[in-house]
């Protein structure tokens, strides 16, 4: 799990809040109509957010994916 | 201070107001941009006055349902835009041959096909006349303001009822979606025409035998006049025939009852035409730009004027001929590639030069575009 | 007039004989429909018979009611306008298998879904008769038609299931042979306040019969006689229903009717608002 | 008064610039003026930049679209970028204060905290449009439309339960201009 | 003794023969008089050569299916008559805007509506051009014999493929149901044109970027070029756009690729025109009567001739203008109430008198009727 | 590209974000469809995605396959032409509830009847989204929409029953919440050689949600979570299925497929005759 | 039964033979493409012919109906 | 030969007059002549009078319909009544012998037992059309169409199992004229 990380594509995110609602660990919040990864450290990489994001804007990828 | 008789209304709303004022009691439709508000408002308003609204499964069905309702005695309307208008064509022909009064609103958008669904255009002008197969009568009106939309929706019903024919209200997105001030008239100020009913006994009723005005009186289903209606060529009793002479007479009468009575509904606006040498012919949304252009051209000492057909079909042959005889140049400005132009050229082309100004990019043609096209030529 | 009293009272006898071919089952089925109307004693002025285009759809022209011969496939949409405009009217819609279920399939399922009070009767001859014998959505698998010279590879609709699945509140099937049953079903269908669907298996000796070596009209009647089993019988003894055509009343389950539901809205809101 | 005012109101879909334009047009008509209101439709209206226009005039209005805006309202960067070119050289720009405005823009610019005021003072961004109406009204001046007429127009066009809040928002908008 | 290369064929049969010769491998249709034989024969012939026939649930679906099949690489056709043609209009517009080659046969019968299903007529001429909403390109051909039906069905496919556009073969009941002698040509004698394929790599393929001839190369679904097709106004990549300039360019290109190339498919017949003072303009079934009438009129010392457009759309403006410049009088003889007449009058009306001879009674116009109409005027 | 690998491989990422509203269920459902295709490892060149007109029908434009955005209601008729012309292709049809069952209802029942190998997926949000919130043939009785301001009086279709009744050989229902199930059903639907129908219950917070006070997108997801029961569970314990929305695989029953049956004819007769 | 009689409308009859097939008493036959009541005396007025004639051409009426 | 023959064949639907016309046209073409065959469609074709036409000519045939028939065949009273007016004043009429012909008809009339011959000699009325072809052929004369060509045309157009019977019927038709 160490090599996994949560990524957010702000350009695609529409701030619908679906990920926020489904996150079991309150990792996410909406700010200025966009999702924000507020507490990345709490993330357990369960993939709920990625599974239900309608906009392919949040996902779990390798750390190398981080830009 | 405040002027209560004025209201700010959208063109599409005004259409429903006009329809209700004319006596519409049945609306069947299927949503499509940019005409949807007409259905929506009808759905909200009709039951409040005991009228009926139904959303059908598609436009073919909508057109069919309003014919059925009209045959049963209710004044009926549908509204649509390009793709839906194409789908209604077969049954528009049916309304024509069965002489069933009804009003079809087409709020034009960019075509062909799905095209530019939310943009104004005037690409269905020729389709309004020729969209269904076979020779058939057509009346089509093109209002250019919210107020006119109201007035001409009433007139559309009146023509439909008086001549037992489908009437097309050919709007465009500009007019349909624009909000403007409008006077809702008192019912007493509005002339409402109802279809002529038979005044004979049922046994004597010959359903498709025309009176002198070429229009047969019309009984509604359920009123005791049991008769037959068919989309086949039929004789005066309404039954199918292959008799050649009867067939010819029917088709000619259908067309002639409209074309010979055109004076009765020749609506148009002449603007600064008296001494005009350059005449812009424009209708619907574009005519607003054209009027502006006329004023501007006049300022530049160009003797400009505008002829604006409101009755776009049948073609105002007489008026256009006169324009042609008096003008040096006619410019037909349209948001299509030159449709009404063809008819203007046919009739006026013998007398003066007829040019076209066209635009199909999804935006309302501007006064400047008209001015520049003309200026470039002068 | 040289005919029985039903014919005299309900037909436009001056239009007879009709254009149908010798032995065409449509005539027999139409008689069953007329007898049902007679039995119910409906006021002729309040009956509207609507059809589309096809041999079957020529039926209204011969009947002394308000009659409407519309465009191909659209009869139910016209009928919806009629019924909704004046719910007092009894609106009966006669269509062919092609008219109702090929080009007109959508209107069928939507009228059924709305449960609008229309009595729909399909004269199903398993073929497009009027245009000269092409296969229809009810032509059996493997059968021949002018457009299935190598045998039909499409699976036929069971029109009654289709109509029932879409929401019809009365459904039944008779045949040109089972005329009494047919009459009975139509009677009940008219009485059902809602969308009713009655399939009448018809006979087209000219095209379907000839193409598929089914013999003359009498033989085709005999086929129905020998191969149909009433649903009640089949339900009691499934053996008897095996490989047979089921006929009879399949479904009768009244539900809120469309024009009545709309009237509820009118009654509640009329006079309110602007 | 000036004969003719061309107003352009823009923002993102859902910010209510269409309603704002309708309220202005409505009031103008009640005032006895002419007004034409139009708007952009289509996919843009859902998410992207949304635009609404009003022309107010004492004379008949032929061409219904704004050619050069006397006042342009832009509630978002996106809408500013997209529509700034429509501004007349003598026109006035109103932007929400988070919008970055080109430095060399020759126009008079009102940089107002519209969205924040809405949120801070009324607890909802939903009233940003009515604050904007207030600001526009203030710039047009009393002699174009009577304030009472404006208030009635707002009252008639917003949901009944929100009337009070919206009238306060309208006044807030006036204040943003007049201080 | 017996002449084996001749066959007695019906017009509708000849249409199928021509289609097969042109490479048709897909036919979707729905029966309707008087075009049904085209479907029937296609259903019998196609599987014999590995082609596909499907009877769809209606004409809307038939038109859709042939577009789908054409996009997948098969040359495709449908056939219908009036009511079905009306129903196909929406999807004909779709074929036009997506530039999908296909051939639509309309064997005209009496209209409007169900009309006179088994009688000849030419009432769908204007509909062929204007039936769908929005500006769009149209090519329509009107053969007047069984042999020509064969030849022009081939050409219809060739034009459709070359210009990526729907082509309408506008027959009439007379030609469709008539049996006549016909030469079935050897494949080597028939010019068959196939659509232009991309010769770039898939990654470089810009699906709607036109070549100099204004026509974009066309890849079939499944060939490795994954692209997007839509009926919305789109840019060169095929994706929807609201960009006004792109929109204008697309609509203009669609129309211009046809109208600017008209020389490539301007088909017509001139009969005894050299010194003609009275010119009959006629097409399809009526032109056969017109030709006869010309000979008869000549016998009466009237300098008659005939101009017969085979390419009926786009309008043969240049040729008709020339006819107008040379003739004293033009008579447009049609089995409708004067449709093609409108265009002839528009273009030739400046130069000579243009009159109409019409008939809509369900019978083929006879030579005598033409002669009498002209004689009555001379 | 800032996205996961499935998105990168199967989407036209340059076209994202899509035009759908924030929270629109169509995006979630589309992801399930794409994952199913990925799972099956289909060759992208051999996949064609076809749609009609509507919000849902915008889906193909975002996918890196052969994609076709047709006219309203006609997607299945276009798809029939494609599949029949080249049976090697995997043809997937995405439609809305209005597109598939209002204007397109007839093509749906006929494609199902023919059992032609098309994978049909309906994003059912119980409303016409694209045109701004009119009721559709799946809007529940009594619900509100811009054209049913007094409550909808039409009865909704059960799209799965309709499709099954018409002849589909594979039928199932998932939701935007039940994405894994949705993916699974689409996988099986694609594998079924014949007409397959998968309904995906979607979410339109903008119109259906707002008009009917269903809360935001998350609340609408939660509704599905709490109110759907798998058919298998309900079959075992009917109590559990009571007043619930049934989801899962409803029907899987392969039958002769249309293009294969036609190929049999070609194989038998090709080269014969003239 | 005495006041009942079998009637045929030759103008309407198309000679399809359906009545002939169904008649239990061989009362009817086809001649020159039309039905003929060959043996009226054998008729039991069972109504089978009337019930199935597609053309309303044969029926049982009162004797007075006879023309 | 005469340049042009206009033939009209009529009867009731199902009597096969269309096939008869096709066979004649087919043979004419095989003979190297021009021929156009047309027919009436529609409800009439089902039950009522059915009509089929052939024009045979050594020149190009423009107008495809018969204006004045050189030969009119009428197998039923109905079709005689309906079409007799099409007969040219010099035209020949062939009727089945049960058809009542106007007494004052100026034309040459052949009153032939076509239907009865069909039934009596071939056991089926179905061949009446081919008997008629024989009669018409005989009236046209050998120099218009070769007999072998006629026979081949019949052979190719009738169902294979009925070829023999139909050829016999054809000869019977010739005999009815030539005696
Ligand atoms: C739009 C349209 N398409 C096709 C036709 C041609 N058409 C007329 S009737 C018919 C089918 C009739 O079949 P069916 O409904 O089964 O009735 P039947 O004649 O068998 O009684 C067809 C295809 C038409 N009239 N209109
Ligand atoms: C012939 C035609 N009629 C109407 C329309 C307008 N229209 C576009 S999409 C749509 C309905 C969309 O609803 P649905 O299929 O449920 O898709 P959604 O937008 O809800 O995903 C309508 C009525 C059209 N484009 N074409
Ligand atoms: S679900 Fe996706 S679009 Fe919605 S807020 Fe989360 S990341 Fe943004
Ligand atoms: S992966 Fe799971 S825990 Fe992490 S943010 Fe997404 S939903 Fe929350
Ligand atoms: S063709 Fe068939 S269905 Fe039509 S009238 Fe003849 S027998 Fe009846
Ligand atoms: S309107 Fe509804 S269905 Fe359409 S994109 Fe928005 S949320 Fe989705
Ligand atoms: S059933 Fe009727 S039509 Fe047929 S033969 Fe008997 S009487 Fe005549
Ligand atoms: S009534 Fe009965 S017995 Fe008499 S003719 Fe008719 S079927 Fe025969
Ligand atoms: Mg049938
Ligand atoms: Mg939907």
């Amino acid at each position: 799990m160490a090599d996994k990380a949560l990524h957010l594509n702000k350009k695609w995110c529409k701030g619908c809040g679906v990920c926020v609602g489904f996150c079991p660990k309150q990792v996410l919040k909406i700010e200025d109509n966009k999702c924000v990864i507020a507490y990345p450290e709490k993330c357990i990489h369960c993939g709920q957010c990625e599974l239900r994001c309608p906009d392919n804007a949040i996902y779990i990828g390798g750390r190398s994916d981080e830009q | 201070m405040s002027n209560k008789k004025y209201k700010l209304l959208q063109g599409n709303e005004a259409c429903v107001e006009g329809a209700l004022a004319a006596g519409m009691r049945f609306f069947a439709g299927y949503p499509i941009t940019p005409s949807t508000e007409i259905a929506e408002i009808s759905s909200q308003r009709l039951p409040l006055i005991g009228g009926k609204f139904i959303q059908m499964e598609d436009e073919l069905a909508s057109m069919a349902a309003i014919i059925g309702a009209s045959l049963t005695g209710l004044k009926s309307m549908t509204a649509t835009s390009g793709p839906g208008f194409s789908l209604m064509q077969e049954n528009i022909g049916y309304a024509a041959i069965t002489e069933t009064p009804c009003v079809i609103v087409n709020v034009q958008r960019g075509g062909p096909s799905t095209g530019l669904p939310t943009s104004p255009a005037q690409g269905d002008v020729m389709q309004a006349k020729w969209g269904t197969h076979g020779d058939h009568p057509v009346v089509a009106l093109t209002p250019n303001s919210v107020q006119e939309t109201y007035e001409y929706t009433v007139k559309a019903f009146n023509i439909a009822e008086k001549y037992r024919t489908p009437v097309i209200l050919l709007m465009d997105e500009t007019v349909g979606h624009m909000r403007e001030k409008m006077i809702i008239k008192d019912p007493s100020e509005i002339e409402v025409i109802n279809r002529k009913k038979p005044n004979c006994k049922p046994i004597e009723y010959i359903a498709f035998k025309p009176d002198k005005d070429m229009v047969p009186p019309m009984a509604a289903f359920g009123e005791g006049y049991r008769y037959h209606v068919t989309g086949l060529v039929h004789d005066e009793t309404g039954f199918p025939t292959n008799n050649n002479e009867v067939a010819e007479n029917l088709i000619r009468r259908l067309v002639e009852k409209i074309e010979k009575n055109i004076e009765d509904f020749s609506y148009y606006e002449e603007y600064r035409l008296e001494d005009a040498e350059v005449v812009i012919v424009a209708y619907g949304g574009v005519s607003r730009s054209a009027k502006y252009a006329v004023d501007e051209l006049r300022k530049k000492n160009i003797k400009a004027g505008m002829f604006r057909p409101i009755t776009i079909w049948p073609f105002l042959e007489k008026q256009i001929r006169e324009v042609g005889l008096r003008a040096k140049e006619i410019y037909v400005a349209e948001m299509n590639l030159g449709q009404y132009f063809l008819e203007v050229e046919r009739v006026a082309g013998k007398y003066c030069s007829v040019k076209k100004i066209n635009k199909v990019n999804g935006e309302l043609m501007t006064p400047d575009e008209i001015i520049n096209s003309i200026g470039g030529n002068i | 007039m040289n005919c029985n009293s039903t014919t005299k009272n309900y037909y436009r006898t001056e239009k007879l004989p009709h254009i149908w071919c010798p032995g065409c089952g449509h005539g027999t089925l139409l008689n069953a429909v007329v007898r049902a109307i007679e039995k119910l004693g409906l006021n002729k002025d309040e009956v509207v018979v609507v059809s589309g285009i096809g041999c079957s759809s020529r039926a209204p022209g011969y009947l002394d009611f308000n009659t409407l011969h519309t465009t191909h496939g659209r009869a139910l949409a016209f009928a919806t306008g009629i019924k909704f405009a004046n719910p007092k009217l009894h609106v009966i819609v006669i269509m062919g298998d092609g008219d109702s279920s090929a080009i007109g399939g959508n209107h069928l399922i939507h009228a059924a879904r709305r449960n609008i009070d229309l009595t729909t009767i399909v004269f199903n001859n398993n073929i497009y008769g009027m245009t000269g014998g092409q296969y229809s959505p009810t032509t059996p698998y493997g059968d021949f038609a002018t457009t299935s010279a190598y045998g039909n590879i499409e699976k036929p609709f069971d029109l009654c299931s289709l109509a029932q699945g879409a929401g019809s509140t009365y459904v039944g099937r008779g045949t040109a042979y089972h005329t009494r049953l047919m009459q009975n079903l139509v009677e009940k269908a008219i009485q059902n306040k809602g969308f009713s669907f009655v399939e009448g298996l018809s006979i087209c000796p000219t095209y379907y019969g000839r193409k598929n070596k089914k013999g003359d009209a009498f033989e085709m009647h005999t086929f129905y006689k020998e191969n149909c089993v009433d649903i009640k019988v089949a339900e009691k003894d499934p053996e008897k229903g095996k490989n047979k055509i089921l006929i009879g009343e399949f479904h009768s389950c009244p539900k809120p009717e469309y024009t009545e539901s709309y009237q509820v809205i009118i009654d509640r809101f009329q006079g309110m608002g602007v | 008064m000036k004969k003719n005012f061309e107003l352009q109101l823009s923002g993102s879909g859902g910010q209510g610039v269409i309603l704002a334009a309708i309220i202005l047009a409505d009031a103008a008509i009640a005032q006895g003026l002419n007004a034409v209101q139009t708007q952009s439709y289509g996919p843009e209206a859902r998410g992207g930049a949304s635009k609404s226009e009003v022309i107010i005039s004492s004379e008949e209005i032929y061409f219904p679209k704004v050619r050069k805006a006397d006042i342009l309202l832009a509630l978002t960067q996106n809408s500013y970028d997209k529509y700034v070119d429509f501004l007349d050289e003598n026109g006035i720009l109103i932007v929400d204060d988070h919008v970055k405005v080109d430095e060399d823009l020759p126009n008079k610019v009102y940089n107002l905290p519209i969205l924040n005021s809405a949120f801070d003072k009324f607890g909802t961004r939903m009233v940003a449009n009515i604050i904007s109406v207030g600001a526009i009204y203030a710039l047009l001046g009393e002699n174009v439309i009577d304030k009472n007429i404006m208030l009635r127009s707002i009252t008639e066009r917003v949901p009944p339960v929100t009337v009070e809040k919206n009238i306060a928002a309208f006044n807030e908008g006036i204040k943003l201009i007049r201080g």
Side-chain angles (χ1 to χ4, degrees), chain A, chain B, chain C, chain D:
Chain A
M1 209 179 270
D3 59 338
K4 281 191 178 171
L6 191 62
H7 299 268
L8 178 74
N9 183 337
K10 272 226 170 186
K11 276 203 177 154
W12 293 358
C13 170
K14 293 182 188 140
C16 68
V18 166
C19 56
V20 178
F22 278 112
C23 176
K25 295 289 168 188
Q26 279 79 44
V27 174
L28 311 167
K29 61 177 186 177
I30 299 292
E31 241 170 42
D32 256 346
N33 272 317
K34 293 274 173 183
C35 177
V36 172
I37 305 176
Y39 308 100
E41 65 285 1
K42 292 207 270 174
C43 173
I44 56 169
H45 302 144
C46 69
Q48 282 294 313
C49 51
E50 178 173 1
L51 199 61
R52 294 207 174 72
C53 170
D55 279 280
N56 311 31
I58 191 162
Y59 63 100
I60 300 155
R63 292 208 175 275
S64 56
D65 284 358
E66 274 176 286
Q67 274 115 17
Chain B
M1 182 185 70
S2 136
N3 204 326
K4 254 311 174 198
K5 28 171 231 185
Y6 291 124
K7 266 184 112 171
L8 181 77
L9 279 191
Q10 212 180 29
N12 284 346
E13 290 177 85
C15 174
V16 178
E17 294 298 336
L20 293 173
M24 168 177 79
R25 287 301 174 271
F26 190 93
F27 184 101
Y30 188 77
I32 184 165
T33 310
S35 75
T36 305
E37 294 84 2
I38 299 176
E40 291 176 336
I41 301 167
S42 294
S43 78
Q44 291 150 25
R45 296 289 299 279
L46 277 166
L48 306 183
I49 54 167
K52 317 277 174 89
F53 167 88
I54 188 168
Q55 184 173 296
M56 294 298 288
E57 51 274 21
D58 60 23
E59 291 87 350
L60 298 121
S62 303
M63 190 62 216
I66 68 165
I67 296 172
S70 180
L71 287 165
T72 311
L74 300 191
K75 290 191 181 179
S76 304
M77 179 169 100
T78 188
T80 190
S81 300
F85 194 54
S86 287
L87 292 177
M88 288 179 181
Q89 290 303 329
E90 188 195 11
N91 282 339
I92 292 176
Y94 185 85
I97 200 172
T98 59
E99 304 183 65
T100 308
C102 54
V103 174
I104 301 111
V105 184
N106 174 1
V107 186
Q108 293 168 91
R109 68 187 217 183
S113 194
T114 316
L116 290 166
T118 57
S119 302
Q122 301 179 315
D124 310 348
V125 166
M126 281 301 238
Q127 186 192 25
K129 179 149 174 66
W130 301 110
T132 195
H133 60 282
D135 294 282
H136 58 276
V138 159
V139 179
L141 309 177
T142 55
N144 84 343
S145 70
V146 171
Q147 185 72 42
E148 272 198 4
T149 301
Y150 175 77
E151 314 270 352
Y152 285 93
T153 306
V154 175
K155 292 202 202 310
F157 272 95
N158 286 348
I159 298 167
E161 294 282 319
K162 183 165 174 187
Y163 296 102
R164 292 190 61 176
T165 202
V167 174
I168 294 162
L169 189 76
L170 198 61
M171 298 171 64
D172 51 54
E173 192 274 345
T174 303
V175 176
H177 274 166
M178 179 168 72
R179 284 187 181 78
E180 232 177 4
K181 90 172 171 194
M182 195 193 102
I183 314 173
I184 298 210
K185 291 194 177 153
D186 189 80
S188 67
E189 296 171 65
I190 298 170
E191 188 200 18
V192 169
I193 300 177
N194 296 315
R195 61 189 71 169
K196 192 169 57 181
K197 298 254 173 190
N199 48 20
C200 60
K201 292 190 214 109
I203 187 93
E204 291 160 358
Y205 183 51
I206 302 173
F208 292 89
K209 188 178 160 72
D211 290 341
K212 284 240 175 70
D213 61 358
M214 289 189 272
V215 182
M218 183 174 180
F221 285 163
E223 290 182 336
Y225 297 78
R226 297 190 303 275
Y227 65 105
H228 185 58
V229 180
T230 177
L232 284 163
V233 164
H234 46 269
D235 60 22
E236 291 187 342
T237 67
F239 288 91
T241 176
N242 283 314
N243 179 302
N244 301 117
E245 200 182 328
V246 175
E248 179 101 25
N249 286 345
L250 173 68
I251 307 300
R252 288 196 185 267
R253 177 174 65 76
L254 292 177
V255 172
E256 285 174 7
K257 75 177 173 185
I258 300 306
E259 299 199 337
K260 295 220 164 140
N261 285 309
I262 185 168
E263 296 286 336
D264 190 29
F265 45 83
S266 292
Y267 303 114
Y268 53 89
E269 180 191 357
E270 296 181 328
Y271 185 66
R272 305 183 84 165
L273 263 196
E274 317 74 37
D275 60 341
E277 293 173 351
V278 174
V279 176
I280 306 170
V281 173
Y283 50 87
V286 173
S287 65
R288 300 176 67 114
S289 307
K291 203 165 183 178
Y292 193 105
V294 166
D295 288 354
E296 293 296 310
L297 288 164
R298 286 271 174 182
K299 287 183 199 157
K300 297 187 189 172
N301 284 321
I302 295 173
K303 288 195 178 155
M306 176 180 79
F307 180 83
R308 172 167 74 95
I310 302 171
T311 304
I312 198 158
W313 300 120
F315 188 68
L316 295 176
E317 194 142 343
K318 193 181 103 187
Q319 288 77 6
I320 292 285
R321 184 174 304 112
E322 273 164 30
V323 169
L325 283 165
R326 280 151 48 185
K328 284 196 187 145
E329 284 185 303
I330 293 177
Y331 289 85
V332 186
E334 312 174 82
M335 293 196 23
N336 57 45
L337 291 179
Q339 298 191 7
Y340 197 70
F341 161 80
L342 295 169
E343 282 290 90
V344 176
E345 184 178 44
R346 176 174 70 83
V347 170
K350 294 164 192 148
Y351 314 119
C352 70
S353 107
V354 182
K355 302 204 173 92
K356 48 185 171 177
I357 305 177
N358 305 114
K359 183 170 177 178
V360 289
N361 78 348
E363 273 184 337
L364 180 59
M365 189 184 285
T366 65
D368 290 344
E369 285 166 337
I370 297 175
I371 294 165
N372 292 341
S373 298
I374 294 177
N377 277 303
I378 286 177
Chain C
M1 191 42 56
N2 188 2
C3 59
N4 66 24
S5 65
T6 310
T7 306
K8 190 144 107 200
N9 290 337
Y10 289 94
Y11 278 78
R12 291 170 174 144
T13 47
E14 72 280 13
K15 299 291 166 194
L16 296 177
H18 40 55
I19 61 156
W20 295 322
C21 306
C24 176
H26 294 352
T28 313
L29 288 168
L30 185 60
N31 270 323
V33 173
V34 168
R35 281 196 301 266
I37 296 173
E38 181 179 43
K39 182 82 173 297
L40 295 172
L42 304 185
N43 177 342
K44 290 201 279 183
D45 288 336
E46 292 181 356
V47 174
V48 187
V49 185
V50 185
S51 70
I53 298 289
C55 295
S56 0
S57 289
R58 286 302 193 99
Y62 303 112
L63 301 181
D64 185 19
F65 303 110
N66 304 281
T67 56
L68 183 65
H69 179 231
T70 70
T71 46
H72 189 37
R74 315 297 165 201
L76 282 166
F78 283 84
T80 296
I82 294 168
K83 178 73 194 182
F84 194 20
N86 184 356
K88 260 191 358 217
L89 300 174
H90 299 278
V91 183
I92 296 169
V93 182
I94 297 178
M95 299 178 286
D97 43 325
D99 198 45
S100 64
S101 78
I103 192 167
N106 208 29
H107 310 303
L108 175 61
I109 60 178
H110 283 276
R113 179 176 65 79
R114 288 189 193 103
N115 194 33
I116 183 163
D117 185 24
L118 301 172
T119 305
T120 296
I121 301 162
V122 174
F123 291 178
N124 178 5
N125 56 8
N126 308 106
I127 203 95
Y128 296 156
M130 184 61 110
T131 44
Q134 300 76 33
Y135 68 88
S136 88
T138 63
T139 302
Y141 189 84
D143 272 8
F144 296 98
T146 60
T147 46
S148 64
Y150 311 105
N152 179 25
I153 60 167
E154 304 203 2
K155 293 99 211 153
F157 276 138
D158 177 327
L159 294 181
C160 287
S161 322
L162 184 70
Q164 183 172 335
S168 308
T169 45
Y170 186 88
V171 180
R173 180 185 290 135
T175 82
Y177 172 76
H178 301 86
T179 47
R180 297 245 185 254
L181 169 66
M182 191 67 199
Q183 174 184 338
N184 208 277
L185 293 170
V186 173
E187 263 175 62
K188 293 212 188 140
I190 293 174
Q191 284 170 295
N192 174 53
K193 184 83 198 162
F195 188 84
S196 310
F197 184 87
V198 179
E199 178 178 2
L201 298 180
S202 190
I203 283 174
C204 173
T206 305
Y207 294 114
Y208 180 70
R210 199 175 290 167
K211 283 263 164 198
N212 292 286
K213 307 212 167 34
K214 300 282 180 188
D216 65 12
F218 176 65
E219 285 173 80
M220 293 177 81
H221 273 278
T222 310
F223 175 84
Y224 284 142
K225 180 174 169 187
E226 290 169 359
N227 288 282
C228 293
V229 170
D230 197 282
I231 175 88
K232 286 195 219 84
V233 174
E235 269 169 2
K236 260 189 226 144
D237 182 353
E239 256 322 293
K240 284 194 180 149
K242 242 187 180 168
N243 296 322
K244 296 287 178 185
I245 300 169
L246 295 184
I247 56 175
E249 179 177 295
F250 297 154
H251 181 67
S252 173
C253 168
K255 289 222 179 90
E257 193 269 335
Y258 182 84
T259 65
E260 289 185 346
S261 300
Y262 197 91
Q263 192 58 45
V264 172
I265 290 183
I266 292 182
D267 291 344
R268 226 174 101 194
F269 294 99
Q270 189 161 14
M272 291 170 66
V274 206
Chain D
M1 72 171 263
K2 185 168 171 307
K3 260 194 200 159
N4 204 57
F5 291 96
E6 306 207 351
L7 316 179
Q8 197 156 36
L9 287 67
S10 67
S12 71
Q15 281 182 324
V17 294
I18 293 172
L19 180 60
I22 291 173
I23 287 171
L24 285 161
D26 213 7
I29 283 174
Q31 185 74 41
L33 298 168
N34 287 307
V36 179
Q37 183 273 335
T38 61
Q39 67 215 50
S40 67
Y41 274 82
E44 314 101 294
R46 229 194 269 147
S50 167
K51 184 183 67 171
S52 183
E53 304 185 341
V54 191
I55 302 177
I56 297 173
S57 178
S58 53
E59 314 209 325
E60 198 185 334
I61 303 165
Y62 300 151
F63 186 63
K65 308 292 284 182
V66 165
R67 271 160 318 165
K68 283 289 164 192
D70 297 305
I71 299 178
L72 169 66
L73 167 78
L75 290 177
T76 63
Q77 190 65 45
N78 202 347
S79 58
Y80 166 80
D81 295 344
K82 204 159 163 192
Y83 300 119
V84 66
D85 288 347
F86 278 85
L87 195 53
D88 187 83
E89 41 182 23
N90 301 314
I92 298 170
L93 175 69
I94 308 176
V95 289
D96 185 69
D97 60 3
H98 74 269
V99 173
K100 281 194 207 90
V101 174
D102 296 70
E103 295 194 347
D104 54 352
L105 201 74
N107 301 70
K108 173 110 186 86
V109 179
Y110 288 89
N111 223 301
L112 311 179
I114 299 175
L115 296 177
N116 282 343
S117 303
F119 196 74
D120 298 346
K121 305 208 171 155
F122 303 95
T124 167
R125 293 233 160 75
M126 300 279 281
V127 298
N129 58 343
I130 306 296
I131 298 180
S132 308
V133 170
I136 292 169
Y137 162 77
L139 288 172
L140 286 174
E142 274 283 346
N143 61 339
V144 176
I145 304 174
D146 187 275
K147 186 166 176 188
N148 285 326
I149 290 182
M150 281 302 314
L151 292 177
R152 195 167 57 226
S153 175
I154 293 169
T155 307
E156 281 173 2
R157 292 277 180 178
V158 303
V161 294
T162 67
V163 167
E164 219 168 303
K165 188 182 276 190
N166 277 299
I167 285 180
F170 175 69
N171 286 321
E172 175 66 22
I174 299 178
K175 224 169 63 192
L176 287 181
I177 295 292
R178 301 204 182 140

